[in-house]
Amino acid sequence: MTGTITARTTPHNVRWVLLGVMLAMLLGMLDNMIVGTAMPTIVGELGGLEHLSWVVSAYTLATAASTPIWAKLGDLFGRKNNFLASIVIFLIGSGLSGAAQSMEQLIGFRVLQGIGAGGLAAGAMAIIGELIPPRERAKYMGMTASVMALATIGGPLLGGIVTDNFGWRWAFYLNLPLGLIALVWCQTTLHLTARRPNAKIDYPGAALLTVTISAIVLATTWGGNQYAWGSAQMLTVIAVAVLGLAAFAWSQTRATEPIIPLGLFTNRNFTLTAILSAVAGVAMFGAVSFLPLFQQTVQGASASNSGLLLLPMMVPVIVVSQIAGRVMSRTGRYKVFPILGALFLTAGSIAMATVDTGTSRLTSGSYMVLLGAGMGFLMQMTMLIAQNSVAMKDIGAASGVSTLFRTLGGSFGVALFGALFNRQLTAAMTGQGNTTGAQPDPSALGKLPAAVRDAYLHGVASGIHSIFLWSAVLCAIGVIAALAIVEVPLRQMGAPAAAAPVKEPAV
């Protein structure tokens, strides 16, 4: 008689194992925040001001384009070696970026670093999905939420300290010791089952996906900033994105091992969580990008501690994630949490849309708490539901798609909100006789004539109003998506062991 394989449970030391995974994940998330703070110093030494935006964009583009490819490779060939390879690539990119002698070199090395970061993002989520069954995984949601909050708050602070005291190159060199610790940690403690050794890589799909995602990110980055939306450059990029998407979808129907199995989208919950991931990305990246500007200009907060300005939003992310995770782990019920998340994001966006030049820090901080609570309920929950909706063999692809949708949602959100903000601010400044719409430096507001300064502050407040009004509309779509989720019981067992291979019983 054929024996049955006993169910595998999460081992007692999984938190110790996950610390190394979380450290590697933190490196990828922290990097852009640190480098953003160091950018003025970098430009001062290397020159190339016209290429400034590409130092950040190249990293973001490479991360977004490589994330689903890394995720699929983990499904095919095993996640541990895949994850270790992404750490190595990230460290090589970091070392080379720190040694760059020109802006062009820095941009090229940032691409390499971004490719590694894509593997860190996709690999960490997939490893968690493989180590821990969904029912138990909820207990660990607070760890990933804490990493995100630490990167958002600590990145600008750490970037300022490192740049001021050690020089901008250490913004990159700092990754090396931390990355080596993560590498050794994961190599020593992480034990995962290898995958299909004879699997085929979908090279055409990978190439088409890279081109398509690159075009989408470029469109959202360039549109309305570097090029007008109706310009030949933008029309070309948009055409490439549309045609690339169509070609990629066609290629996936013919591939033996598609990068993104389109069948995943026939699962209702998976598709709905992809929408929710995009909504969460819009809300998070929009808030992180524009709220500090409002706080620094209108409310007079210090720019030197810009990361701390987001504390009212990030602390609830950690607290709510912990609470929701423990309740879900105990009850097995989860549908209420994405609904609450979308509702809190909508309410927070509506509240933030009411701010003006007289809004106090306490009031805006309380509105940010609503946004943070929404993110805490929603962001990790969408990943968990997506992973619970697919077979174990596709858990990497599911994690990659969820991460990709969040990234693209954030890219779209920043582009849309930036256009709305600039339109309101330009209109306000043009009304003061500034026919070019040029924006004054917030640090120099005190030197401006009272009428111009007042117009600028009202323009910033008006821009924030427009941003969060549209954010509320998008988050309301998220409420509809959350309501449509079907509550499928979370798997309690069946994931591979975390710290050591488990011997199967004899047959």
Side-chain angles (χ1 to χ4, degrees):
M1 185 170 73
T2 305
T4 4
I5 295 176
T6 43
R8 295 166 173 171
T9 57
T10 305
H12 66 280
N13 63 341
V14 69
R15 288 187 184 275
W16 179 252
V17 177
L18 288 182
L19 281 175
V21 177
M22 291 294 101
L23 178 57
M25 181 180 172
L26 175 63
L27 287 175
M29 298 183 67
L30 196 63
D31 189 80
N32 247 357
M33 298 292 181
I34 294 178
V35 173
T37 308
M39 283 310 300
T41 308
I42 293 174
V43 172
E45 181 173 327
L46 297 183
L49 180 62
E50 68 277 10
H51 302 309
L52 172 65
S53 63
W54 274 105
V55 175
V56 175
S57 297
Y59 180 87
T60 304
L61 191 151
T63 301
S66 64
T67 294
I69 297 173
W70 278 111
K72 184 61 180 181
L73 291 176
D75 282 341
L76 294 178
F77 302 111
R79 306 192 204 290
K80 178 177 178 177
N81 290 336
N82 208 50
F83 193 59
L84 295 178
S86 68
I87 295 176
V88 171
I89 292 174
F90 181 82
L91 293 181
I92 293 173
S94 297
L96 291 174
S97 295
Q101 298 301 310
S102 69
M103 192 65 82
E104 290 78 10
Q105 286 184 12
L106 180 58
I107 292 169
F109 297 146
R110 287 283 282 168
V111 170
L112 183 62
Q113 197 183 19
I115 292 172
L120 298 180
M125 291 294 102
I127 287 171
I128 293 171
E130 184 169 339
L131 290 176
I132 311 166
R135 180 70 177 264
E136 296 182 38
R137 200 177 308 153
K139 301 175 186 177
Y140 305 92
M141 287 169 46
M143 293 181 71
T144 52
S146 299
V147 167
M148 181 190 71
L150 181 61
T152 304
I153 296 170
L157 291 173
L158 188 58
I161 293 172
V162 169
T163 303
D164 291 343
N165 293 281
F166 304 101
W168 68 265
R169 296 183 185 278
W170 279 95
F172 298 103
Y173 292 150
L174 184 66
N175 293 328
L176 301 182
L178 297 177
L180 287 173
I181 292 172
L183 186 67
V184 174
W185 198 318
C186 291
Q187 171 62 34
T188 305
T189 65
L190 194 58
H191 300 278
L192 299 173
T193 308
R195 293 303 181 200
R196 297 161 256 174
N198 299 319
K200 296 181 179 179
I201 300 175
D202 178 18
Y203 291 107
L208 287 170
L209 183 63
T210 300
V211 170
T212 302
I213 294 177
S214 299
I216 293 173
V217 173
L218 288 177
T220 55
T221 303
W222 286 349
N225 296 314
Q226 190 162 345
Y227 302 106
W229 282 104
S231 66
Q233 292 91 338
M234 287 306 304
L235 293 176
T236 300
V237 170
I238 292 171
V240 170
V242 172
L243 293 175
L245 183 60
F248 172 73
W250 176 80
S251 75
Q252 297 304 277
T253 64
R254 303 176 65 85
T256 305
E257 290 286 356
I259 297 292
I260 300 179
L262 299 185
L264 295 179
F265 291 97
T266 62
N267 183 293
R268 176 174 174 174
N269 279 4
F270 182 82
T271 302
L272 291 171
T273 54
I275 295 172
L276 285 169
S277 293
V279 168
V282 168
M284 183 183 76
F285 286 101
V288 168
S289 299
F290 293 97
L291 278 178
L293 179 59
F294 174 79
Q295 293 168 305
Q296 291 170 30
T297 56
V298 177
Q299 296 180 328
S302 169
S304 60
N305 296 322
S306 58
L308 297 178
L309 300 178
L310 296 173
L311 271 176
M313 185 170 69
M314 288 304 165
V315 170
V317 172
I318 301 173
V319 174
V320 170
S321 293
Q322 293 275 12
I323 295 173
R326 293 188 177 277
V327 171
M328 185 171 65
S329 181
R330 188 168 60 249
T331 65
R333 309 301 295 270
Y334 57 83
K335 180 175 179 177
V336 64
F337 297 119
I339 295 174
L340 286 174
L343 285 172
F344 269 101
L345 282 179
T346 304
S349 296
I350 292 172
M352 285 301 306
T354 65
V355 301
D356 56 29
T357 54
T359 302
S360 67
R361 294 190 198 179
L362 178 62
T363 301
S364 62
S366 65
Y367 298 160
M368 292 169 69
V369 169
L370 293 176
L371 293 173
M375 293 176 195
F377 277 124
L378 192 60
M379 296 193 68
Q380 302 306 318
M381 201 68 64
T382 55
M383 179 68 73
L384 188 148
I385 297 172
Q387 291 178 340
N388 190 60
S389 302
V390 303
M392 282 297 296
K393 69 181 182 66
D394 290 323
I395 202 167
S399 304
V401 169
S402 185
T403 303
L404 175 63
F405 269 73
R406 184 178 302 168
T407 302
L408 293 181
S411 182
F412 170 78
V414 171
L416 171 65
F417 295 160
L420 293 169
F421 185 85
N422 289 332
R423 184 177 68 181
Q424 295 294 331
L425 191 55
T426 298
M429 298 308 295
T430 302
Q432 288 299 315
N434 184 349
T435 57
T436 65
Q439 302 169 14
D441 183 350
S443 63
L445 284 177
K447 302 176 183 178
L448 296 175
V452 176
R453 182 172 64 251
D454 187 61
Y456 179 76
L457 296 180
H458 278 88
V460 171
S462 180
I464 293 295
H465 168 79
S466 296
I467 285 173
F468 283 99
L469 200 59
W470 277 99
S471 176
V473 172
L474 295 173
C475 291
I477 295 173
V479 174
I480 297 171
L483 288 169
I485 287 176
V486 178
E487 194 161 48
V488 178
L490 295 173
R491 292 191 292 265
Q492 296 194 54
M493 296 181 180
V502 176
K503 293 182 180 179
E504 307 294 0
V507 257

